[in-house]
Amino acid sequence: MTRTLHVAFASAIDVLLGSYLGTVVWCVVVPAVVLGPAAPPIMMNVWASVLGGVVGLCFSLVGASIGRSALEQRWPSGWQRNAVVHASWLLLVVTIAAGWIITRIDPLQLFSQQGLEGASRIFTALFTPETAIIGQAIGAMVETIYLAFMATVFAVPFSFLLSFFSARNLMRDTAIRRSVYVVVRFITNFSRSIEPLIWAIVFSVWVGIGPFAGMLALVVHTIASLTKQYAEQIEDVDHGPMEAIEATGARRVQVIWFSVVPQCVIPFLSFTIYRWDINVRMATVIGLVGGGGIGNMLIQYQGLAQWNEVGMIVIIIATVVWLMDVISARVREALK
Amino acid sequence: MTPLVTARDVSLVYPNGYQALYDVSFDVHPGEFLVVIGLSGSGKSTLMRTVNRLLEPTSGTITVDGVDVTHVAGEPLRQHRRNIGMIFQQFNLIKRHSVINNVLYGALGSMSTWQALSGNYSSDQRETAMRCLEIVGIADRAHHRADALSGGQQQRVAIARALMQQPKLLLADEPVASLDPATSHSVMRYLEVLNKEYGTTVVCNLHFLSLVRQYASRVIALKGGRKVFEGMPTDITEDWFKAIYGEDAVEVEIE
Ligand SMILES: Nc1ncnc2c1ncn2[C@@H]1O[C@H](COP(=O)(O)OP(=O)(O)O)[C@@H](O)[C@H]1O
Ligand SMILES: [Mg+2]
């Protein structure tokens, strides 16, 4: 039974790889080679995929199976070995070629007359920052720092509560706890996999463009990230004190409060400060899509092609990010 | 005299399928100092944890004071644990908290969640906690952080925490295994005081036979999760010793 499954799984991998190869060769590589720059945008072609899949299956049937080699982590013997090795190289080369074509890589652009002129224009401007806007820029930076701070503050109580429900060591003894654990883990992992930038777009439609939208975006992301970090810390606690408090006949909440929490407060504080630091950086980027603060200012001057102003803003961002990084590292070191 | 604890055919299989106890039966009589010996891994800690029900036996029964506690849960389970104090090899104090608070945690079982979380101990409880510290001779350290104390002192704080529960029974899981010989005796002597002067029943897991002979009023021995011996400390002859600890074992003294 498992043997059949294994073979089916290996063949499925071969079919997928074959149809991938067929599609990429026919839809990306061939047009680029034949038509050059005149090639149309990529269009999928079902027949290329099917044909590739069939070839993949044939390889699988004659024993030259990449899927099987990967699953068993050893090469087949005989001529099939050569076939598998060559097919693997072909996959790699075609993938890199397709990547080159799709990314439209053109090193000449970097060094063309026009390109070099553009580069010198922007670098000159960036290195001669417009100091007239320094007050305004610092004001916007302060907005960003507070935005990041508030996002962290709002997220902490939620993360604190949720972390206990997503710590495996506290949630494994009954079926109910295990299901709560799975649900909380799923929700936090899922919301963490959505970038704050996307959340910012969502909230700027919801509550309007501005710092509030940016903060909400960061709150969601911070809750998810801190919950995970806190929970990992909880999973690391010494279980001895838990057992000791449990043995006194204490309730579950008491056990956690008196034996788990004291072991976690300092690391939690340290994670939180680091999160604030990360949030300042993220808040800058979020400002670009309407999350307020310095990012918002940056995108406006960029839109007006006022590069001296942009240079000023970049210098302020870089300085603040660097300072926050140094300070938060020092504070975290002191907390150890 | 009716036993305080009756264990009958207690077996325990851990969730990973490992069977740590095989049909172990024994009684604990009020006022005795029962010592459990056996090689490391023989099931001593497991057995002790079935008595205060940190672990639930897979089969068999445990009766304490005439009440079957084998499968109790919820409030009755907490009530059962409240009546039994426990101390551990690693002391298991809350390191960052003060000595007196650690002792007060012995009262958590009898407090409402809110009272406990807000640290709202009655003046009665505070006095009792101080008295417990006096019994183990470290009342002067009450306001130090627990991890500022030496190992022996920490174990005495742990004893005070157990005393705070006013337990019918005190379980001690290798209480001196992480201490040096001199400190070991001082801790063992406090257990002896509780047993002889305050009449607390004690069940204690021990490693060293010399300590067993000095402090135990009765001994049981475990080997591979089975009870292989039950008798007086003086009954442990050379042959028994080899049966319990293996042919190659040599007794070492702790003075
Ligand atoms: N949580 C557990 N899960 C599985 N096996 C365990 C667990 N705890 C202890 N054991 C095993 O049960 C046996 C008895 O352990 P223990 O009661 O701690 O022995 P002792 O206290 O005599 O050294 C050992 O073999 C140990 O590895
Ligand atoms: Mg043990």
Side-chain angles (χ1 to χ4, degrees), chain B residues 83-209:
Chain B
N83 293 330
I84 301 177
M86 184 165 188
I87 64 175
F88 306 82
Q89 177 179 347
Q90 299 302 337
F91 325 135
N92 291 348
L93 299 180
I94 313 306
K95 292 197 176 72
R96 314 179 53 85
H97 289 189
S98 69
V99 165
I100 187 77
N101 274 332
N102 267 286
V103 178
L104 283 164
Y105 296 156
L108 286 178
S110 52
M111 299 168 76
S112 76
T113 301
W114 177 242
Q115 266 180 333
L117 293 195
S118 58
N120 195 1
Y121 303 102
S122 67
S123 52
D124 241 20
Q125 286 172 322
R126 287 181 186 280
E127 274 168 36
T128 313
M130 276 315 276
R131 248 197 333 275
C132 294
L133 278 177
E134 275 158 20
I135 292 175
V136 294
I138 38 175
D140 56 322
R141 311 302 291 273
H143 298 286
H144 288 67
R145 249 173 72 149
D147 57 2
L149 271 56
S150 71
Q153 290 172 326
Q154 290 194 35
Q155 193 59 295
R156 279 144 69 189
V157 176
I159 295 175
R161 172 173 66 191
L163 281 183
M164 189 72 198
Q165 293 172 240
Q166 295 166 330
K168 292 178 194 165
L169 173 66
L170 183 63
L171 302 176
D173 190 5
E174 303 201 25
V176 296
S178 348
L179 302 175
D180 59 67
T183 322
S184 292
H185 275 294
S186 104
V187 167
M188 287 307 295
R189 250 175 248 125
Y190 281 108
L191 292 182
E192 191 175 36
V193 166
L194 293 183
N195 179 245
K196 296 236 165 78
E197 290 178 25
Y198 294 82
T200 313
T201 311
V202 177
V203 176
C204 183
N205 293 345
L206 280 181
H207 241 85
F208 285 104
L209 272 185

Side-chain angles (χ1 to χ4, degrees), chain A residues 14 57-66 68-69 76-77 79-81 83-84:
Chain A
D14 293 329
L57 187 61
C58 294
F59 267 69
S60 200
L61 292 177
V62 298
S65 165
I66 294 186
R68 192 160 155 202
S69 311
S77 49
W79 65 269
Q80 285 96 335
R81 181 190 163 112
V84 167

Side-chain angles (χ1 to χ4, degrees), chain A residues 238-255 257-259 262-266, chain B residues 49 52 54 75 78 81-82 84 86 88 92-94 96-97 105-106 108-109 111-113 116-117 161 165:
Chain A
D238 175 6
H239 283 194
M242 271 183 82
E243 199 179 26
I245 301 289
E246 216 180 330
T248 67
R251 276 159 232 279
R252 182 135 186 109
V253 180
Q254 297 170 330
V255 171
W257 185 257
F258 289 105
S259 67
Q263 296 185 57
C264 291
V265 273
I266 298 292
Chain B
R49 280 160 178 72
N52 68 347
L54 286 172
E75 189 50 41
R78 286 193 290 273
R81 286 176 182 165
R82 217 172 293 163
I84 301 177
M86 184 165 188
F88 306 82
N92 291 348
L93 299 180
I94 313 306
R96 314 179 53 85
H97 289 189
Y105 296 156
L108 286 178
M111 299 168 76
S112 76
T113 301
L117 293 195
R161 172 173 66 191
Q165 293 172 240

